[in-house]
Amino acid sequence: MIEFASEFVSLFGFKIYYYGIILSLGALAGVILAERRAKKYQMDDTFLFDALPWVIVGGVVGARLWHIFTPPPSMVEKGITTQYYLTHPLDAINLRAGGLGIPGAVIGGLLLFYWFARRRGAPFAAWLDIIVPSIPLGQAIGRWGNFINQELYGAPTDLPWGIYIDEINRLPGFFDQSHYHPIFLYESLWNLVSVFILIWIGSRYRQQLKKGDLFLIYLISYPLIRFLLDFLRLDASEIAGVNANQFALLIRHKKPQSNAEN
C-alpha cells in the first residue's frame, strides 16, 4: 500500500522522506555533470565512479558530525546537545531524524576523495576542477528539501517572496509571525548561478588556470553567501556564543588567498 503525507511517502509501512529523495536527486545530478565533464576533458570516468561511494560516505559522516558538534539553539533548548548525542549513540546515527550540515558534508567528502585519489595515484587537484561544479549543483537541488521540511528560513519579512511557515515549525518568540525570508531559496539560486560561472570560467580560462584553481573559486563563492545569509538566520548554530557556520566558513574563505600567495 502506498500512502502520501506532507513530508514522506509510505511504501507498505516504510517511510521514504521527500527530503532524502531530493538530496538523492541532487547527488545524481552532480554525478551526471561530473561524468560529462570527465569525458569532455578526457579524464577516466571509471575513477570517478570508483571514488563515488567513498565521497558519499565521507559526505554523510561529515555532515552528521557537523550537526552533532554544532546543534542549533532550538535543539539545545530541548536538551539535544553535543553531550546528548555522545551519550546516545543510536540517536547520533539516526539520520532519519534529520540533522545534516553542508559544511561538514563538503569537508568529509573531500577528505575521503583526497585519500582515494592518493591511493589510486590520481591527480587530486585536476579531479577537483572536474567535479567542483557538481558540488553547488547538488546543493542547489538539495536545498529544496529544506522547503519541504519548512526549515532554514530567515527573519520575518513582508516581502512578496516571503514563505509561509506553519506555526508548529516556527521558533519560540515568533509564533505571531507567519512569513519569513526563504534562505534556502537564496542559497539555491546562488549555487545554481555558481554552477554556470564555474563551468564558464573553467572553459574560458582553461589555459590560464592552474590545477585546483577552479575549486578555490568555489571556496570563495560558497562561504561568502553562507556567511552573509547566516546574518538572516534565526537558529544559527553557535559555539561559545560565536556563529559556528560563519566562523568556519570565514576560515575557508581565507584559505584560497593564502594558497594563492604561496
Side-chain angles (χ1 to χ4, degrees):
M1 180 181 296
I2 302 177
E3 298 180 3
F4 293 93
S6 60
E7 296 182 355
F8 60 85
V9 56
S10 177
L11 297 177
F12 301 101
F14 182 79
K15 297 179 181 179
I16 302 176
Y17 287 86
Y18 300 133
Y19 183 83
I21 294 175
I22 293 173
L23 289 182
S24 299
L25 290 176
L28 177 62
V31 170
I32 293 174
L33 176 59
E35 179 190 18
R36 291 183 177 180
R37 285 176 55 78
K39 290 181 178 179
K40 176 180 179 180
Y41 293 105
Q42 299 180 337
M43 302 284 282
D44 182 13
D45 59 354
T46 301
F47 167 80
L48 180 67
F49 287 104
D50 288 345
L52 183 60
W54 295 100
V55 174
I56 292 176
V57 170
V60 171
V61 172
R64 187 58 177 173
L65 288 176
W66 188 274
H67 169 75
I68 289 174
F69 287 100
T70 62
S74 61
M75 296 187 69
V76 172
E77 291 181 0
K78 297 177 182 179
I80 305 178
T81 62
T82 299
Q83 181 63 30
Y84 172 84
Y85 280 124
L86 294 179
T87 54
H88 295 76
L90 292 181
D91 287 337
I93 63 175
N94 183 16
L95 300 181
R96 291 171 62 84
L100 298 172
I102 283 185
V106 174
I107 294 172
L110 284 177
L111 285 176
L112 282 195
F113 186 65
Y114 173 76
W115 168 81
F116 188 79
R118 288 292 299 271
R119 180 183 178 186
R120 285 288 188 89
F124 175 67
W127 270 106
L128 277 184
D129 289 340
I130 293 295
I131 68 172
V132 66
S134 298
I135 300 176
L137 177 60
Q139 291 173 321
I141 297 173
R143 274 306 182 199
W144 283 91
N146 300 128
F147 172 72
I148 297 296
N149 288 353
Q150 290 200 341
E151 59 189 9
L152 197 64
Y153 55 86
T157 182
D158 56 1
L159 292 171
W161 55 83
I163 57 170
Y164 177 81
I165 299 297
D166 294 332
E167 186 172 340
I168 192 174
N169 293 320
R170 298 174 196 170
L171 295 172
F174 294 91
F175 294 122
D176 59 338
Q177 303 288 333
S178 60
H179 289 74
Y180 299 79
H181 279 283
I183 291 182
F184 74 89
L185 174 61
Y186 301 156
E187 184 178 325
S188 178
L189 293 176
W190 178 282
N191 282 322
L192 190 59
V193 172
S194 295
V195 174
F196 293 101
I197 291 178
L198 289 170
I199 293 175
W200 178 78
I201 291 177
S203 177
R204 177 68 175 80
Y205 298 99
R206 185 183 179 191
Q207 300 303 321
Q208 291 89 340
L209 293 172
K210 296 180 180 180
K211 292 180 180 179
D213 280 353
L214 203 61
F215 180 72
L216 295 182
I217 293 173
Y218 166 79
L219 286 186
I220 295 174
S221 172
Y222 179 66
L224 176 61
I225 190 61
R226 278 300 302 268
F227 183 83
L228 296 176
L229 289 180
D230 259 39
F231 284 113
L232 286 175
R233 290 192 66 173
L234 299 175
D235 198 26
S237 301
E238 296 182 351
I239 298 178
V242 177
N243 186 305
N245 288 326
Q246 286 184 321
F247 179 74
L249 293 168
L250 183 60
I251 293 176
R252 288 171 59 196
H253 184 269
K254 288 182 177 181
K255 184 177 180 180
Q257 298 174 350
S258 61
N259 286 344
E261 291 172 356
N262 293 333

